[in-house]
Structures are given as structure tokens and as C-alpha cells.
Amino acid sequence: MALDIIIGAQWGDEGKGRMVDLLAKDATIVARFSGGDNAGHTVTVGETVFKLHLIPSGIVHPHTVGVLGNGTVINPETLLGEMDKLKDMGISVTPKRLKISPAAHLITPAHRALDAAEEAQRGDEQIGTTLRGIGPAYMDKTARRGLRIGEMLDEESLADRVKEHVAFANKKLTSLYNAEPLDAQAVAAQFVGYARKLKPYIADTSRMIYQALKDGKRVLAEGAQGTLLDLDHGTYPFVTSSNPTAPGALIGLGVGPTYVGEIVGVTKAFQTRVGEGELPTELDGDLALRLRGTGSNPWDEYGTTTGRPRRVGWLDLVLLRYTARLNGLTKLALTKLDILTGIDPLMICTAYKKDGEMFQEMPMGMLTLEGFEPVFEELPGWTEDVQGARTWDDLSLNAQGYIRFIEEQVGVPVGWASVGAEREQMVVI
Ligand code: IMP
């Protein structure tokens, strides 16, 4: 069988968790390949809402094994906290159910302190990071001084390495940012404690995935964040510090391209973005409130990780064409179609305009979105409740028309449309 990759086709928060939940039914392994606890994946099973940040969403299926691949960055405190929470909810994350690559990098309190200090120093130019220490951890990785999970296998040298790491970070914190230094000894002791708990989870995940694929099993790569937050291909500098795109899954898991099967791009039926940076189709006022929700429901547009209200806008097909091409998407999954019910007409961005010239795709990739004006087409809305729809024929003509329009414009078929937060509220097309 194949490695199927689930990718965020926007700026994150597309509903990847629920798609992974759906597709994990016949997968053996569900693997995170990039990012860390900056992600927030929500899975609703009956009355229970699972909010996961680090552990792959597939964990809610007892038959799957979760993997945190070499491309991820792991804060052991969050990971252990998440394990405890899941345990309270009846899911025991034993070393049989979760495997961590020794090459994944560690996030420490020093990384978090640096993230906060760097953001504060940026003043008006803030990126709006999740303050989880993601950027500084990847900076240490590329500077080749990062701490890796595999170092937890030797407690003594781990303690020394953590002390060195904190001492180095303290220099930056105090001299560059005028921030408080951390207690290196205390952090080292903390990490030795984490190592004792996490050691049994460390495994050669790349080989494990290879073997599963060789044995004809299905492996799901669970994307975090989204294509437009990709370090190389996103809206730099308002991006994350990893590659949450399909090729990133191969690097971040240590799997060759031969095994790739479906590449599913998950997109909401409208646009959202947290943090700073351009959002060409941004809405405000009543319509924005309508799309965002008030925050009273777990699926309203408020960050799972930070609680920040998300910015919202009309669906942007210029960006979706770009993400389809970049990831080589074979299918689209459209989420939150039900939120559009009752909005008439629906606007959808099909091109950008700048200095009198029209663009179907950005002329220089995502170099800058500044100054590009969205060009909209108007589509008729629908008033029929779609939440009970399960098949194509259950959808009203105008809801079908909205989906077909997206397929034609982007050139990728829509395989699913979610029509509510519950697991079964899904139209399979
Ligand atoms: P960082 O990943 O915490 O460094 O944040 C960099 C940018 O990515 C900020 O704009 C964040 O809001 C955004 N970001 C990071 N993770 C997510 C996510 O899971 N969903 C949506 N936005 C995210």
C-alpha cells in the first residue's frame, strides 16, 4: 500500500484532524512529520472533543500506531501533558502506540523564552507566532547545535548538553533581548526526568514506516499548519519554520517518493488566518462574525493552541491553485461547507489584479501578496440545511454548484465535504 499525505491547503486550521480521523480507519501508522505543539488538531467523537497538539490525531483509533517523525520538534513537557490528558479521556498512549524518531529535535524552555523575546523585539513587525519555541528550535537544528530526542538515551551527557544549551541561550536572552536568564541546572534536571519517561518511545521510525509500506500497509502522513505557512513556499516572513507541504512529509519521515499514494489538500469552504500577514479576501463586520462564530463552540474560529480569534475571508482560489500545484494534490477535502448555509450571494476569489494586470496565480510565487486586489465571482448561496447530507445527491443544487466551481477552477476533484463537526457529518463524493 501507500503513504497517503494529508496537507493543509491554506494557512493551517483547515480541519486536517478530522480528515486524518476519517482516513485513519484503514491505516496502520499515522505520522506527524513537521512542526510541534504549535499545531492544534480537533477531533470530535460523539460527545468527546479531542484537542491534540503533538500526538497524531490517529491515536483516537485503537488500531493505529502514532509516529513523531524526524522533522518534528518536540517539547517533552507538552507531550507528557498530552499523554496524561488522553489517559484521562480513556486513551492510553503506551510505547506500543507511539514511536518517536531519535532525530526529532527537542524544544526547551530556553526556546520558548527566545521565541517570546524575539517577538517582543520585533515590535510592530511581529510574526504572531504561537510562542511555543518552534522558530528557535529549528534555528538550533539548522545551526547544527540542536538537542535531539536520541540524546535522551544517555542521561549524563543529556544533562551536560542541556546545561550548555541553556547557558548559550542565556547569553542571547540577556545581552540581545534584555530578558531574564534561565536556571540551566534546573532545566537539565527537568530534561533528565523527561528522558526517563520518554526513552521507551524512541524508535527507528523511518525504518518502521518503510517496513509497513513494504508489508502492504497503509501509512498516513498527518500534515500540521498549512502550505501558505511553509518556510520556503509560504507567505514569508509570516510563516512557520518548517516545511508542512507534501515534500516535507518525505524529508520529515525519512521515506522515499516511490511510496506516495494520494495527496489530499484540506481546505475550508472559506479562508482563515491567525497571526500577521496579508489575507487578500479578508472580511470584517457581520459576515466575518458569521464565519468566525462567537467562540461558544469548539469548532468556532478561535485558535486551538492560542485561543486567538482567526481572521476570516472569502475562499481564495488563486491561493488554492498554488497549493494544488505545489503539493501535487490528487484530491481536495472541503471542510465547514455548512457554515456557508444562508449566505447569499457567495463570493469566491478567482484572480488577483495589480496595476491593471490580471493574475490566475501569483507571478513570483508567494514573494509578496501586497498590492494584489482580489477579483471575485458571485455564486448563488443556499438556505437548505446541509448538516444532514451524507451523499452528493443530499446536497442542494447551489451547494453542488459551489463545489463543482472549485473543482473546475483548481483542477483537482473534491473527494469529501464536511457539513458539521461530528465524525459522521461528511459527504463522500
Ligand atoms: P510558529 O509556528 O509558532 O513559529 O508561528 C509562525 C506563524 O505560523 C504564526 O503566524 C502562527 O500563527 C502560524 N501557525 C503556526 N502553527 C499554526 C497552526 O497550527 N495553525 C495556524 N497557524 C499556525
Side-chain angles (χ1 to χ4, degrees):
M1 279 270 256
L3 174 76
D4 293 334
I5 306 175
I6 318 287
I7 289 296
Q10 298 174 306
W11 275 289
D13 311 313
E14 299 91 350
K16 294 176 291 293
R18 68 166 310 152
M19 283 313 297
V20 170
D21 177 53
L22 180 83
L23 300 175
K25 274 190 207 120
D26 36 48
T28 329
I29 295 174
V30 180
R32 279 275 309 266
F33 58 86
S34 70
D37 59 343
N38 48 348
H41 292 173
T42 308
V43 179
T44 311
V45 184
E47 296 290 291
T48 317
V49 179
F50 295 94
K51 285 187 182 272
L52 298 153
H53 297 284
L54 204 44
I55 297 176
S57 313
I59 201 80
V60 304
H61 290 278
H63 68 275
T64 64
V65 174
V67 161
L68 290 171
N70 56 276
T72 61
V73 280
I74 297 172
N75 183 332
E77 188 185 349
T78 337
L79 177 59
L80 291 163
E82 202 161 290
M83 286 177 177
D84 286 344
K85 255 197 200 146
L86 281 169
K87 199 170 177 196
D88 292 344
M89 296 173 95
I91 297 176
S92 186
V93 187
T94 59
K96 272 202 175 143
R97 297 233 37 222
L98 182 72
K99 309 281 182 192
I100 309 174
S101 164
H105 278 247
L106 284 164
I107 297 182
T108 70
H111 289 134
R112 280 205 177 195
L114 283 166
D115 200 354
E118 281 167 16
E119 273 291 83
Q121 207 196 39
R122 285 187 188 111
D124 289 346
E125 314 268 285
Q126 288 197 358
I127 288 170
T129 76
T130 59
L131 302 177
R132 296 296 188 268
I134 305 294
Y138 279 117
M139 276 159 72
D140 275 352
K141 175 178 175 172
T142 49
R144 292 156 296 176
R145 57 166 176 258
L147 296 162
R148 301 206 288 178
I149 285 279
E151 296 191 52
M152 288 187 145
L153 294 169
D154 180 343
E155 284 176 23
E156 218 168 286
S157 81
L158 174 73
D160 290 342
R161 288 267 294 133
V162 173
K163 274 186 249 168
E164 268 169 38
H165 154 79
V166 176
F168 185 74
N170 278 345
K171 278 191 203 148
K172 283 211 259 178
L173 284 168
T174 52
S175 64
L176 283 181
Y177 302 116
N178 210 14
E180 287 297 310
L182 280 85
D183 179 342
Q185 194 80 35
V187 178
Q190 232 180 355
F191 272 66
V192 168
Y194 297 147
R196 288 186 187 143
K197 292 187 179 160
L198 290 178
K199 252 184 229 174
Y201 293 85
I202 304 173
D204 185 347
T205 51
S206 161
R207 182 181 282 276
M208 200 184 115
I209 292 173
Y210 174 77
Q211 197 56 54
L213 292 167
K214 276 284 200 202
D215 292 345
K217 310 245 169 76
R218 185 167 190 211
V219 178
L220 271 191
E222 171 175 341
Q225 288 83 48
T227 303
L228 300 170
L229 289 172
D230 185 278
L231 180 60
D232 290 75
H233 301 289
T235 45
Y236 192 91
F238 303 106
V239 293
T240 191
S241 301
S242 65
N243 294 111
T245 32
L250 304 179
I251 302 282
L253 294 177
V255 184
T258 335
Y259 295 97
V260 176
E262 297 280 6
I263 306 173
V264 179
V266 186
T267 172
K268 275 178 198 162
F270 48 96
Q271 210 73 25
T272 65
R273 179 166 199 175
V274 232
E276 302 304 318
E278 295 287 317
L279 174 55
T281 61
E282 188 158 11
L283 286 165
D284 52 22
D286 287 350
L287 255 176
L289 195 63
R290 175 107 183 230
L291 295 178
R292 184 182 301 120
T294 56
S296 54
N297 289 314
W299 52 87
D300 283 349
E301 299 295 347
Y302 292 79
T304 315
T305 303
T306 58
R308 289 179 287 180
R310 295 178 189 141
R311 297 153 65 198
V312 295
W314 296 115
L315 185 62
D316 188 328
L317 298 182
V318 178
L319 299 179
L320 199 54
R321 269 184 220 118
Y322 174 74
T323 58
R325 173 173 69 73
L326 198 73
N327 290 295
L329 296 183
T330 59
K331 270 191 187 156
L332 281 168
L334 195 64
T335 56
K336 295 190 107 174
L337 187 69
D338 55 305
I339 301 296
L340 298 185
T341 301
I343 303 178
D344 194 18
L346 291 165
M347 308 301 272
I348 194 160
C349 168
T350 53
Y352 289 163
K353 201 161 129 185
K354 191 176 189 180
D355 302 328
E357 205 182 331
M358 297 280 273
F359 300 92
Q360 298 287 308
E361 240 207 49
M362 299 300 294
M364 288 285 176
M366 284 295 123
L367 188 62
T368 175
L369 288 173
E370 231 166 274
F372 287 91
E373 234 181 86
V375 177
F376 290 106
E377 283 207 30
E378 201 177 289
L379 297 183
W382 58 89
T383 49
E384 301 86 348
D385 184 14
V386 294
Q387 292 202 324
R390 298 293 176 269
T391 66
W392 178 252
D393 292 337
D394 295 338
L395 291 172
S396 69
L397 276 183
N398 288 352
Q400 289 179 349
Y402 190 74
I403 295 173
R404 288 291 178 241
F405 187 81
I406 295 168
E407 287 181 328
E408 278 158 25
Q409 288 277 326
V410 178
V412 178
V414 174
W416 304 266
S418 82
V419 289
E422 292 293 329
R423 212 178 215 177
E424 66 278 3
Q425 287 185 296
M426 183 72 75
V427 177
V428 181
I429 299 168

